[in-house]
Amino acid sequence: MAQPVELLALAVSVARSASDLANRMRAEGVSGVTTKSTATDVVTAADRAVERHVREELARARPGDAVLGEEYGADRDAPVRWILDPIDGTVNYLYDLPQYAVSLAAEVGGVVVAGVVRNAATGREWTAVRGGGAFAGQRRLAVSGETDLGQALVGTGFGYAAERRLHQARVLAGLIGHIRDIRRFGAASIDLCLVAEGSLDAYYEKGLNAWDHAAGGLVAAEAGALVTGLDGAPPGPDMVVAAPPALHTQLHDRLSALGAAGGP
Ligand code: IPD
C-alpha cells in the first residue's frame, strides 16, 4: 500500500499536467458546452478531457485504484480511491475568470489522506497529507486568528437549481448582518484553500459533492480549520462548514438556527 506522501506526489504531478491541458483547451476557445442538472449547470469538452487525462495517468501509475470523478462517476471498489473534480469552477472557466482548479484527493479505506488543489489559471497550488500539515508550495499554512464572527470574511457558494438557490439566499439573508462580509468566488475547492491560508476566515456551502470538498477540506483541516457538517454530521451534501475552531462554533450555530442544512 502506498504511503500518503507518495499518493500526494502522484496527485501533484497529475494535477499539473491536467491544469496544462485545461489551459491549452481554454486558449483554443471553450468548446462542447452543454448542461447537466439544470440550464445553469454547465460542462465543457475540457471538463471531460481533463477527467479522462487524469484517469489515464492514475491508471498508468496505479492500475486497480478506484476513481470517483465529477464527469464520469465511480468505476470500482478498491482500497485506494481518487476523488476528482477535473475543473472546479467550470462557470469561471467558461467566462475566463482566473479561479478554476483541478482538485484531486486520495482516500484510503474511506479516509482522505492526501489532496492537491491547483488553480490552473494562476498556477497556485495547495497540498496536504493527513497529519502532515497544509502547504502552498513550501509555505506552511495556518487559518486566520479571527475569533469574532461579526468580523469574519466568509466564503460560500450556490447550487445550480433555482429552489436550492432560493433556500441558500434566505440563509445568506439571515447571516449577512452578523459577519464582516461575504465572498462568492465560484470554486469550492479554492475557497477551502483560502480558509487554510487565512484569506477567508470561514466558508460554508450546502449541496457540495465529495469532489468539490475532499482535497480542499483536507487542506483546510491540516491548516487548523474544523471541517464539519451541521449538528454532528460529517461534511457532506447537506453542509460543509470550514473555519478556525472559535469561529466554527459561532458560524455553525447560526447556520443551524437558520435551518441551512434543510430545504431543497
Ligand atoms: C461548483 C463550484 C462552486 C460551488 C458549486 C459547485 P463545479 O463546482 O465549486 O463554487 O458553489 O456548488 O458545484 O460545478 O464548477 O465543478
Side-chain angles (χ1 to χ4, degrees):
M1 179 67 65
Q3 294 302 309
V5 283
E6 293 165 8
L7 296 173
L8 180 67
L10 175 60
V12 167
S13 143
V14 173
R16 287 179 183 171
S17 60
S19 296
D20 290 346
L21 175 59
N23 290 336
R24 277 201 307 280
M25 292 186 75
R26 185 76 198 57
E28 288 162 7
V30 177
S31 65
V33 182
T34 54
T35 59
K36 297 193 288 187
S37 60
T38 73
T40 54
D41 183 7
V42 289
V43 59
T44 72
D47 292 78
R48 296 199 173 100
V50 171
E51 180 156 336
R52 285 195 302 273
H53 168 81
V54 171
R55 284 175 181 268
E56 283 163 19
E57 293 298 305
L58 292 174
R60 200 188 324 276
R62 294 184 50 85
D65 284 0
V67 180
L68 169 68
E70 176 171 16
E71 311 307 338
Y72 293 101
D75 49 9
R76 62 175 76 84
D77 288 333
V80 175
R81 182 171 80 146
W82 297 90
I83 303 176
L84 166 69
D85 193 336
I87 300 181
D88 184 31
T90 300
V91 173
N92 287 342
Y93 184 79
L94 186 64
Y95 283 78
D96 206 11
L97 293 168
Q99 196 82 344
Y100 50 87
V102 176
S103 172
L104 184 58
E107 196 183 64
V108 178
V111 176
V112 177
V113 298
V116 58
V117 175
R118 182 178 176 89
N119 182 332
T122 65
R124 294 199 70 195
E125 188 179 271
W126 298 269
T127 59
V129 163
R130 183 165 295 276
F135 294 85
Q138 300 303 309
R139 184 167 59 92
R140 195 177 184 116
L141 303 177
V143 290
S144 91
E146 186 54 63
T147 57
D148 175 5
L149 185 61
Q151 297 301 316
L153 188 61
V154 180
T156 193
F158 304 104
Y160 293 114
E163 282 303 302
R164 164 78 48 86
R165 287 180 170 182
L166 210 52
H167 171 73
Q168 289 171 316
R170 286 195 195 102
V171 171
L172 183 54
L175 181 67
I176 190 84
H178 302 276
I179 59 176
R180 181 191 294 278
D181 208 344
I182 202 80
R183 291 291 182 271
R184 197 288 197 249
F185 293 129
S189 59
I190 297 179
D191 292 336
L192 285 159
C193 294
L194 295 179
V195 171
E197 64 182 25
S199 300
L200 286 174
D201 293 308
Y203 168 79
Y204 77 95
E205 186 168 345
K206 174 184 170 65
L208 293 182
N209 291 291
W211 47 76
D212 297 307
H213 66 83
L218 180 65
V219 172
E222 285 297 322
L226 279 179
V227 184
T228 71
L230 287 189
D231 304 319
D238 282 344
M239 184 55 66
V240 175
V241 187
L247 220 48
H248 187 279
T249 311
Q250 299 164 60
L251 179 58
H252 171 282
D253 291 355
R254 187 147 302 265
L255 289 170
S256 184
L258 290 165

